[in-house]
Amino acid sequence: MNCHLKSRLQAAAILIGLLSPLMMLDAQEGARGGGGVSPKNVPAPTSPVTGNPTAGKQLYYSFGCYACHGYNGETGARAFVGRWGNLATEQSFITFLRGRANIAPIPPSTSMPNFSESSMSDKQAKDIYAYIRTFKSTAPDLKDASALNAILEAARQEKK
Amino acid sequence: MAKSQKTSVGRRGFLKGAATGAAALVSTPLAEAQTQRNGGSAAADGGASAPTETQLARESGNIRPPVAVRKITRPGSDLMVQTLKELGIEYAAANPGSSFEGLQESLINYGNPPNQMPEFITALHEESAVTMAHGYAKAEGKPMLALLHGTIGIQHAAMSIYQAYYDRVPILMIAGNDPDFIAAHTAHDMAGMVRSFTKWDAEPKTLDEALVAIQRAYNEAITPPMAPTLVVLGSEIQKDNAPNSKVPAYRPPEFPVIDATRAKEIANSLLGAQNPRIAVGRLRTPEGVQRAVELAELVGACTSTTATNGPMSFPQRHPLCGPGADTNYDYTLGLEAPAAQVFIQGPALGPIASSRDTGNIGFGGINGAGLGGGRGARGGPVGTRIEADAEASLPVIINEVKRQITSDQKGRIQERAAKNAGANHEAHVTAVAQAVEAKRAGWNGTPISTARLYAELWPLIKNEDWCLSSPSNFSGGHNAQLWDHNRPYSYLGGQGAGGMGYGAPASVGAALAARARNRIVVNIQTDGDLNYAPGVLWTAVHHKLPMLTVMHNNRAWHQEYMFIEYMAGVRGRGADRAHIGSTLRDPYLDYAKMAAGYGMASEGPITEPAKLSAALKRGVASVKRGEPYLIDVLTQPR
Ligand SMILES: Cc1ncc(C[n+]2csc(CCOP(=O)(O)OP(=O)(O)O)c2C)c(N)n1
Ligand SMILES: [Mg+2]
């Protein structure tokens, strides 16, 4: 298989995998917006923070982090509050940003791009990290999210 | 053609006289020069002449039309309207254009009472008119009319026609053609511009042919594969006296039905199976949905549905809808949906598309998944496809089942149905429990989570007859897990071909259907989508439509913003300029004011989650009074 064709096929696979729900022609899995991820809590990291959260707030916005992670890290395609994952330490975050080896596929992609040092400095990354670390879950107990609770109760009560 | 009805002054003669007279009134040097040029050599040059000042002035309303010297007592367009009445066309949406002025005058004045069946719906853009018809057809399973001005109106409508075609939605369209007025608004083959994405078109030369063509266009639109159809009507046959014509007797179309042998086999298999299942896709009309329910109940089969994905499918919370008590099905029948053993599916659009795509444009995907050309079942094997209309075939199968069923089987079926219902209930509770758990995330965050928006709307509409008319996938698609989709029109699904500028006009169309039926329409409206042709807000107010619009205002064409962000990031250029050309900032738009400008009651922007529910309550109350309402809500982007 020639190289070009291969990358085209990979691209097509990415398109089908990532985009088809967005192309509005496919089943809705409803995984977006207000967590496909259950907010079950992995405790927030406690590692040291050296950046400036105020500067980080601006960067979180201008670099479009909110686009996929929500303004509070709780919603969107990749919510992270309560998961934390690569956000355990400042260094693991930077390693993650620099280490994403994704190629540019031919079809549009919404996966997370690589952020090289030339496009986002260590200092900026640390500021963003400091801001992210201020995020806390806003998810209430179910009983305090009355609309959600009522939906569950109604489902339970429904006549069989 | 009824040429003999004309006075000795021909239409061309009229226009020339009017032009001269008008030129005298607005005697500017330019007008005179243009009048002369027009009367002179433009045609000889082989080029179409530009509209004269006078013609443009008349088009823009500055000049009265010439006084008629003949009296028309029974214009052809009255008969056109009579034909539409007899077809049960409820609405005709249009932006006015002189190429159909004859027909428009009949629509508003002919009949007792006039302007009913169809009622004239004022559209501010042809794209809106057609997409209104798109939304209406998805809600009702039948077409309404969109009227298009010659050439330019069709061009404005093109994307929405294409999208409805892709969505296999029936729309009846009529375009006017006035060869004697403005040359730029005529064409030799008016329908040619949209032929590649319409199912059928005609340009009848006489009134009698025109009436037949309207009936045929209707029939072609509603038979599978359903699609928009177009009749081009010359202005003369609209306007000429027609003392001797009458509306031809209407013959409903024939639908492709499975043959008796197949129906027997299917009935036999459903009754003989220990654990049958019926996979239900998108049927044509609410009647089809009723019949699918009847069949499932007769044989006690559990069913799958596409009701959370689009209209005209099995009621989601019917006790038989769900995986059932045992997921090892020994016989699955598909109704417009693929299935492991046998599935009945209407003809695909592909062959029609290729025969009509004379320009060889080759629009993507026409033969593929989007158009009923055999979308694979998720995972499992796909059985034999019978090409027929499932809805029209259902009565035949139902009769066979009733004929074959034994009292023994009846007992077993009852037992199975009860078991399936119990298991489906359990499955539903489990799914809802998981969903609400996940949707707590971001509940109290600012701006408002899309999950909260859907969750807080639900208690306000669940006891109403409601229709979610806008695509929900860009706002999280939370209806799929949180709401119950039990009516054929509960959720009208996606755009069809992913074309933006759809949600608002489709909602207006759905609200036209809703208004006469004591139903309310919920439009969760993305901001980018609204801005293509927001004039439909005025249409909703003008016609007092029960449409609640709740903005999912993320101040961006957010989907595109994410794409650009990735592109810039992956090229190592950072993402901090990705907002250029993909966001709606500097300035932000004020949708409450925009709505108010169109005369719609509105409020917002709302950013605090705690304030959302009260606003939604005001909105629902307003809509229930028949007054459309818009709430601007600043949301999380997804
Ligand atoms: C007619 C048309 N033009 C452009 C596009 C490309 N497009 C796809 S998604 C999108 C953004 C839509 O923005 P909005 O409706 O606000 O939804 P959001 O992604 O912000 O939730 C655009 C412009 C399209 N699909 N259709
Ligand atoms: Mg948007």
Side-chain angles (χ1 to χ4, degrees), chain A residues 21-78:
Chain A
L22 306 174
M23 299 304 266
M24 299 143 278
L25 299 172
D26 224 324
Q28 292 192 351
E29 303 302 341
R32 296 168 299 281
V37 194
S38 154
K40 264 186 202 131
N41 289 325
V42 171
T46 51
S47 57
V49 168
T50 64
N52 173 348
T54 311
K57 180 174 183 173
Q58 184 53 43
L59 292 167
Y60 187 84
Y61 184 66
S62 61
F63 275 83
C65 309
Y66 76 95
C68 303
H69 307 290
Y71 289 91
N72 321 94
E74 290 183 284
T75 55
R78 292 288 182 275

Side-chain angles (χ1 to χ4, degrees), chain B residues 21-108:
Chain B
L25 282 175
V26 288
S27 188
T28 65
L30 180 66
E32 266 167 34
Q34 284 201 341
T35 309
Q36 276 167 15
R37 213 182 311 136
N38 197 36
S41 62
D45 294 346
S49 48
T52 62
E53 189 88 336
T54 314
Q55 287 168 328
L56 290 174
R58 188 187 160 194
E59 182 84 334
S60 53
N62 297 331
I63 295 174
R64 287 171 176 281
V67 177
V69 298
R70 55 180 182 159
K71 192 154 183 223
I72 303 291
T73 50
R74 194 171 190 251
S77 52
D78 282 3
L79 289 156
M80 294 169 184
V81 172
Q82 186 60 36
T83 306
L84 296 169
K85 278 186 193 303
E86 291 175 20
L87 289 169
I89 303 287
E90 271 189 297
Y91 300 108
N95 187 244
S98 57
S99 59
F100 56 80
E101 63 184 355
L103 183 52
Q104 178 166 349
E105 195 278 336
S106 290
L107 281 165
I108 60 172

Side-chain angles (χ1 to χ4, degrees), chain B residues 546-594:
Chain B
M547 177 175 91
L548 173 63
T549 297
V550 183
M551 295 301 299
H552 161 48
N553 181 3
N554 56 19
R555 293 175 164 170
W557 296 278
H558 194 76
Q559 191 58 48
E560 300 298 324
Y561 176 58
M562 291 192 289
F563 289 153
I564 298 294
E565 190 182 341
Y566 179 85
M567 201 74 263
V570 83
R571 290 174 175 180
R573 305 192 222 207
D576 49 333
R577 294 163 61 78
H579 63 92
I580 297 173
S582 63
T583 55
L584 285 148
R585 306 176 182 165
D586 301 320
Y588 294 135
L589 281 93
D590 186 331
Y591 294 99
K593 272 197 185 146
M594 178 194 272

Side-chain angles (χ1 to χ4, degrees), chain B residues 428-602:
Chain B
H428 179 62
V429 173
T430 306
V432 171
Q434 278 168 3
V436 298
E437 176 61 21
K439 290 173 201 304
R440 286 191 298 132
W443 188 257
N444 290 320
T446 305
I448 293 167
S449 87
T450 53
R452 183 158 185 171
L453 197 158
Y454 280 84
E456 297 208 324
L457 246 175
W458 179 239
L460 306 175
I461 61 167
K462 68 179 201 172
N463 296 323
E464 308 294 331
D465 185 6
W466 58 270
C467 163
L468 175 61
S469 51
S470 48
S472 67
N473 50 352
F474 280 4
S475 51
H478 304 287
N479 59 301
Q481 301 91 38
L482 299 180
W483 297 9
D484 296 337
H485 306 74
N486 290 333
R487 314 254 182 166
Y489 47 79
S490 289
Y491 175 49
L492 302 186
Q495 295 88 345
M500 296 290 136
Y502 166 88
S507 297
V508 169
L512 284 169
R515 190 186 62 180
R517 295 167 178 85
N518 209 16
R519 189 188 299 161
I520 62 171
V521 159
V522 177
N523 169 32
I524 297 179
Q525 176 65 56
T526 59
D527 52 340
D529 184 271
L530 179 62
N531 280 298
Y532 290 85
V536 288
L537 297 177
W538 181 87
T539 300
V541 179
H542 182 69
H543 293 286
K544 302 192 169 52
L545 302 183
M547 177 175 91
L548 173 63
T549 297
V550 183
M551 295 301 299
H552 161 48
N553 181 3
N554 56 19
R555 293 175 164 170
W557 296 278
H558 194 76
Q559 191 58 48
E560 300 298 324
Y561 176 58
M562 291 192 289
F563 289 153
I564 298 294
E565 190 182 341
Y566 179 85
M567 201 74 263
V570 83
R571 290 174 175 180
R573 305 192 222 207
D576 49 333
R577 294 163 61 78
H579 63 92
I580 297 173
S582 63
T583 55
L584 285 148
R585 306 176 182 165
D586 301 320
Y588 294 135
L589 281 93
D590 186 331
Y591 294 99
K593 272 197 185 146
M594 178 194 272
Y598 286 115
M600 187 178 284
S602 62

